[in-house]
């Protein structure tokens, strides 16, 4: 007769423990006894958690060797860009070009502007009549993405940015994202043609997105730069508006 939870069949224990949060599994359950440590470390348990939380696809079965790492990567997926919505002034950004009347921060929707669909966004960065560019450098190991992961697994790196023009003035938008090695060598780059929005446009917010896949081993940094200017050289802040930028690393 079963006298304790330790007498449960392994598959039943896997099913029960997979219901618990990952933090409890790793910080508490794994320390209970050798049997529980063995079960918590099983690939089947973490695959089950992926299925429960919607991270699982059948096509992953052959490509994922460690479901625990895969689950943690999915679970803690975060935006690596800091202050993407201008809520902390220009903190964390390097102003590479700051000409004309310089960068400015305004509240949505702004003059002759429009609202965004994302209710979390309340502010944006806006450019002037001279070139305005700003950037961030992401050090991957400081963000928890270790060298072996980036060299062997090479998870997808997805870049997104939102930009808009004023209704009454044309503007130019540009974006550059580089994957850099330890020695600052560019291993891969996303640099689309600059976008020119004509005067009297609809002023709607547009999203640009790119996913790096199968990039070379050795990526240690991600460099993100965006900005632009207005195309009519009016004093003030009539250039492109940018906000809600993101860089995320997928499983």
């Amino acid at each position: 007769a079963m006298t304790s939870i330790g007498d449960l069949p392994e598959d039943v224990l896997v099913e029960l423990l997979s219901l618990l949060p990952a933090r409890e599994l790793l910080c508490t359950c794994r320390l209970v006894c050798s049997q529980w440590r063995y079960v918590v470390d099983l690939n089947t348990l973490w695959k089950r958690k992926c299925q429960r939380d919607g991270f699982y696809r059948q096509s992953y079965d052959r490509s994922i060797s460690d479901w625990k790492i895969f689950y943690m990567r999915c679970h803690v997926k975060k935006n690596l860009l800091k202050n993407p919505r201008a809520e902390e002034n220009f903190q964390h950004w390097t102003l590479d070009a700051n000409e004309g009347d310089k960068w400015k921060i305004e509240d949505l929707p702004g003059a002759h502007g429009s609202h965004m669909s994302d209710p979390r966004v309340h502010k944006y960065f806006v450019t002037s009549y001279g070139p305005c560019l700003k950037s961030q450098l992401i050090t991957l190991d400081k963000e928890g993405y270790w060298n072996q992961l980036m060299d062997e697994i090479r998870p997808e790196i997805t870049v997104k940015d939102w930009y808009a023009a004023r209704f009454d003035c044309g503007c130019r938008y540009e974006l550059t994202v580089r994957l850099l090695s330890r020695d600052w060598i560019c291993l891969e780059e996303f640099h689309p043609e600059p976008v020119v929005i004509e005067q009297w446009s609809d002023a709607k917010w547009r999203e640009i997105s790119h996913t790096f896949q199968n990039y070379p081993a050795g990526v240690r940094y991600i460099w993100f730069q965006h900005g632009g200017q207005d195309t009519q050289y009016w004093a003030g802040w009539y250039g492109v508006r940018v906000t809600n930028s993101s860089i995320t690393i997928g499983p």
Side-chain angles (χ1 to χ4, degrees):
M2 187 179 70
T3 58
S4 70
I5 194 173
D7 296 325
L8 288 172
E10 182 180 294
D11 59 337
V12 176
L13 194 55
V14 166
E15 184 71 20
L16 289 174
L17 292 180
S18 69
L19 295 168
L20 296 175
R23 181 180 179 86
E24 294 300 320
L25 288 172
L26 296 173
C27 298
T28 304
C29 297
R30 200 173 180 277
L31 306 179
V32 170
C33 62
S34 59
Q35 181 195 20
W36 281 36
R37 182 171 65 249
Y38 167 78
V39 172
V40 169
D41 288 343
L42 284 174
N43 249 344
T44 51
L45 182 145
W46 293 96
K47 184 176 179 180
R48 187 73 53 83
K49 286 191 68 63
C50 287
Q51 292 169 332
R52 290 186 185 282
D53 291 4
F55 302 148
Y56 173 80
R57 294 181 192 171
Q58 194 170 3
S59 58
Y60 291 163
D61 283 347
R62 292 185 178 181
S63 60
I64 296 173
S65 59
D66 192 324
W67 283 92
K68 178 166 63 176
I69 290 178
F70 178 80
Y71 178 87
M72 298 305 292
R73 288 291 121 204
C74 292
H75 191 66
V76 302
K77 190 174 180 180
K78 61 182 178 179
N79 186 1
L80 300 181
L81 289 174
K82 298 177 174 59
N83 188 26
R85 304 182 191 119
E87 295 169 344
E88 303 173 76
N89 199 12
F90 289 98
Q91 188 173 350
H92 305 294
W93 291 98
T94 298
L95 304 184
D96 304 312
N98 202 19
E99 301 184 26
D101 284 322
K102 303 181 179 182
W103 281 98
K104 186 184 179 185
I105 292 172
E106 295 179 344
D107 295 326
L108 277 167
H112 298 281
S114 59
H115 283 284
M116 291 193 69
S117 58
D118 190 335
R120 299 172 300 173
V121 184
H122 304 288
K123 296 176 180 290
Y124 58 82
F125 304 95
V126 59
T127 60
S128 187
Y129 61 87
C132 293
L133 296 168
K134 62 185 179 69
S135 65
Q136 279 192 43
L137 180 69
I138 297 165
T139 303
L140 290 171
D141 63 354
K142 290 183 179 179
E143 299 295 337
Y145 297 91
W146 59 98
N147 295 348
Q148 184 181 13
L149 176 75
M150 301 307 299
D151 293 345
E152 297 180 9
I153 306 299
R154 280 179 267 181
E156 293 181 350
I157 301 172
T158 300
V159 179
K160 295 183 180 182
D161 200 18
W162 288 85
Y163 63 94
R166 289 173 57 116
F167 171 71
D168 58 347
C169 187
C171 67
R172 171 189 171 102
Y173 164 81
E174 57 185 283
L175 170 69
T176 305
V177 185
R178 293 174 183 158
L179 307 185
L180 305 175
S181 71
R182 180 184 62 185
D183 300 321
W184 311 103
I185 297 170
C186 180
L187 301 178
E188 198 158 320
E189 179 181 76
F190 175 61
H191 181 57
E193 287 293 318
V195 177
V196 176
I197 303 175
E198 301 295 335
Q199 187 182 24
W200 315 122
S201 75
D202 53 19
K204 71 177 183 180
W205 285 92
R206 296 167 167 84
E207 182 186 38
I208 185 169
S209 177
H210 176 75
T211 299
F212 291 96
Q213 297 174 314
N214 301 317
Y215 45 84
V219 174
R220 300 294 179 264
Y221 306 96
I222 303 173
W223 184 73
F224 175 100
Q225 184 192 64
H226 65 173
Q229 63 186 102
D230 82 54
T231 54
Q232 281 143 273
Y233 303 98
W234 292 350
W237 298 273
Y238 291 82
V240 70
R241 302 165 171 185
V242 292
T243 192
N244 208 26
S245 315
S246 68
I247 295 177
T248 55
I249 297 185

